[in-house]
Structures are given as structure tokens and as C-alpha cells.
Amino acid sequence: MESLLAALSGDFLGTPTYFWVAFIAIVIALLVFDLGILHRDEHEIEAKESLLLYGFYVLIALAFGAWVWFSRGAQSGLEFYTGYLIEQSLAMDNMFVIATIFGFLGIPRLYQHRVLFWGILGVILFRAVLIGVGAALVHQFEAILFLFGAFLVFTGIRMFSHSDEEPDMENNKILIFLRRHFRITNELRGRRFTVKEPDPKTGKLITWLTPLAVALIMVEIVDLIFAVDSVPAVFAVTQDTFIVYTSNIFAILGLRALYFALAAAMNRFRYLQISLAIILVLIGIKIFLVPLGIKIDTMLSLGVTISILAGGVLYSLWKTRNEPDISAEDAPKTGQLEP
């Protein structure tokens, strides 16, 4: 018992081990609750259920942030909430790309939660690796923050200039690669990711990917691409690995729950990308100033981020107030996935 207590009270990446254990336990409990109780029977998730589940995840994140605040100090608590909000803001664009993927591949709402649930396991792993590498680089070479800042400013400007463009799924490089190197069924095979079916030439049973597996792979890779923007952005707030990682994971868990409400009316948030581009540029400038010893107040960063994000949402809803809602299912589809 004494050795266990000693291990829990020790440090891992600058944070007491019991903080990491508590976080992992909470995430596992949430995933078990999600799949084992809420979605034990697969069903189409409507906007109301999506919003309620999102509210639940937000409450969990707020409670976790409060624990960080009271146990590690107000500054750590503020950094968690700011990182959480930044990740939620920047990952919203990711949600619309996911909706486009589902629409293009013709994935029905009944199976979309299955893809998102298994996708979150990849997020937990890949974000851990990416944040670990980023933290190591920052601690060893603080000047790399200049590179992070310049990259975020460049990405924000590029996002602003391409805000009206729709993702070109037909020429998507990930999809082209999968078509060339894997056997893919033309249609879904229920909830299965892979199936054993005869080769049309030899008649031998081989493994085929289904469109559901293609969607999962594309969602994972797209999330990894978006993480290249969002993870450095949180390093502008703090270089504490625990805060960066936990705020990231809680934000992604909540947004995956919110996905079905966003996807039901994705056209109504047409101008949100502009506000996200502004946030990226400002965060890039902020992270560029860190190695120079100029630190912008965390509370100010939190307030500015909330204001810009809220402005983008409200402006989008106002500009599209007379438009009918368009869901992911209304996006172009293709049933020809074979190379």
C-alpha cells in the first residue's frame, strides 16, 4: 500500500501521478457510459439528444477544471478553461469536415455515432503522442514557439482566404490512396468495418473495407491534421503537458457529442470559419510573444476567444436566418468507392 501511495504521489511530466490516474479514470468511465448505457442499442441521434449529451460533457469538463483550479491554483484552472475553449473553437471546423465525409460516403445517422466513438480512441492516442512531442520540443528548444506562432498566423490567414471553399472530397488524397491500395465494398455491410468476401477475379475469400471503415480512417486522419493547428495553439496558453492534454481531450469528447446538432444545420454556421481564422492569427501572435518574455493575461485571452467565437456564431445564424437547415445527409454522395 505504501509503495502504491508513493507512486501516486510521484510526478509524471511535471504533474502528480494521481492527477493523471483520475483523468484516465474519468475518460474511461465516460466512454463506458456512452457506449455501454446511452448507445447500447444503436439508434439515430437527434439534435435534442446531441445537445443534452454535449451539455453533460461540458459540465464534466467544468467540474474537472474546478478541481484543477482548487487543487493546483487559479492560474492552472484558467489555463485549463482557456485551452478547453480554444480547442473547442478550432475543432468546430473539423466537425463540418466530418459531416462532409459522412455525406459524401453516404453514412447514415444510425452508424455515424459508431464511427465517432471508435474515432475518439484514436484521438486519445494520437493527441498524446503529438502533445508529448510538442511539449518535449518546447522544453528543449523554447525558440520553436516562434515557429509555432508563425505557422498559426499563416494557417489563420490561409483559412480566411479560403473560407468560401468547400472540401473537394472526390479528389481527396486520403480517399484516392485508400481506393488504390484497398478493396472497398460499394455499399455498407451494416455496422461492420470489414467483411470477408470473394475476390471477383479469383473467387478467393479476402478482406474488404466497408465505407464505414473508410469514414473512420478519414475521420482519424482529418483529426490528426487539425490537431497540428490546435495543439500548438494551446501551447500559447500554457506549456503544462497535463493542462494541454486534458483540455484537448475534454473538448474533443464534448464536440463529438455536439456533432449531430451541428450536422443537422451545418449551412447555418457558414461564417464561423472567419472567426476561427481570426482566433488562429491572434493565438499565433500570442505564442510568438512568449519567448520574448511578453505574456498576455490568460483571463484576457479567454474573454477575447469567447467574444470572437460568439460573434462568429451569432453573425452566421443572423446571416442565414432565412435559409432552410441543410444536414450532412443532403451533401453529395457516391457509392463508387472501388478503385
Side-chain angles (χ1 to χ4, degrees):
M1 180 61 73
E2 291 182 2
S3 59
L4 177 61
L5 291 176
L8 290 176
S9 59
D11 275 8
F12 178 68
L13 297 177
T15 298
T17 305
Y18 70 87
F19 274 89
W20 289 101
V21 172
F23 167 69
I24 293 170
I26 291 170
V27 171
I28 292 174
L30 288 173
L31 294 176
V32 170
F33 175 71
D34 189 308
L35 187 64
I37 298 176
L38 292 182
H39 302 103
R40 181 171 50 189
D41 300 320
E42 272 180 334
H43 62 279
E44 292 189 14
I45 300 176
E46 302 298 333
K48 181 180 179 180
E49 181 183 350
S50 176
L51 289 170
L52 288 173
L53 189 56
Y54 173 69
F56 169 73
Y57 276 110
V58 169
L59 287 177
I60 296 295
L62 292 177
F64 186 85
W67 178 51
V68 171
W69 186 303
F70 289 111
S71 59
R72 300 187 62 185
Q75 183 62 28
S76 292
L78 271 177
E79 289 173 352
F80 174 85
Y81 287 131
T82 305
Y84 174 77
L85 183 64
I86 287 174
E87 177 59 35
Q88 285 239 335
S89 303
L90 300 181
M92 273 199 176
D93 201 35
N94 191 6
M95 294 298 101
F96 298 122
V97 175
I98 291 174
T100 304
I101 291 172
F102 285 156
F104 182 83
L105 296 176
I107 308 298
R109 291 174 67 90
L110 179 64
Y111 300 129
Q112 288 176 8
H113 177 268
R114 178 171 170 78
V115 174
L116 295 177
F117 176 84
W118 291 109
I120 201 69
L121 300 181
V123 169
I124 292 171
L125 174 62
F126 294 141
R127 294 279 172 128
V129 173
L130 194 60
I131 290 171
V133 171
L137 289 173
V138 169
H139 287 126
Q140 291 294 321
F141 312 101
E142 189 182 23
I144 201 171
L145 290 173
F146 288 125
L147 181 61
F148 284 175
F151 175 73
L152 292 177
V153 171
F154 169 78
T155 304
I157 294 173
R158 188 175 183 279
M159 182 185 291
F160 185 84
S161 62
H162 293 77
S163 60
D164 294 331
E165 294 182 7
E166 296 291 335
D168 183 7
M169 296 304 303
E170 189 61 48
N171 295 311
N172 183 275
K173 293 180 180 179
I174 304 169
L175 185 57
I176 291 173
F177 177 85
L178 292 175
R179 282 170 166 168
R180 287 177 178 173
H181 295 87
F182 296 92
R183 292 286 191 178
I184 304 172
T185 62
N186 277 338
E187 298 176 349
L188 291 169
R189 297 295 189 266
R191 64 199 299 271
R192 300 172 68 181
F193 290 112
T194 62
V195 291
K196 286 279 190 180
E197 293 186 358
D199 185 295
K201 295 181 179 178
T202 66
K204 183 180 178 180
L205 282 179
I206 60 172
T207 300
W208 296 65
L209 298 181
T210 69
L212 210 62
V214 174
L216 177 60
I217 294 169
M218 293 186 71
V219 166
E220 291 284 15
I221 296 176
V222 164
D223 181 83
L224 190 59
I225 293 170
F226 274 87
V228 174
D229 293 338
S230 62
V231 169
V234 182
F235 277 115
V237 177
T238 178
Q239 286 80 59
D240 186 323
T241 308
F242 178 78
I243 299 296
V244 175
Y245 184 61
T246 55
S247 62
N248 255 258
I249 298 305
F250 274 117
I252 295 299
L253 283 170
L255 275 181
R256 293 293 167 97
L258 183 62
Y259 165 79
F260 295 94
L262 292 175
M266 61 182 190
N267 64 303
R268 297 295 308 280
F269 298 93
R270 185 180 307 147
Y271 301 95
L272 182 60
Q273 195 175 47
I274 296 175
S275 64
L276 301 183
I278 296 172
I279 290 174
L280 267 180
V281 171
L282 292 179
I283 292 173
I285 294 172
K286 183 177 186 294
I287 199 172
F288 197 86
L289 296 175
V290 171
L292 300 177
I294 303 172
K295 186 172 178 60
I296 298 175
D297 183 70
T298 305
M299 183 64 80
L300 177 62
S301 299
L302 182 60
V304 170
T305 303
I306 292 175
S307 300
I308 295 173
L309 180 62
V313 171
L314 293 174
Y315 181 73
S316 293
L317 293 175
W318 179 74
K319 286 288 288 185
T320 60
R321 62 191 181 281
N322 296 321
E323 297 182 15
D325 293 346
I326 299 177
S327 68
E329 282 72 20
D330 297 320
K333 303 176 178 62
T334 178
Q336 301 302 316
L337 288 177
E338 291 186 41

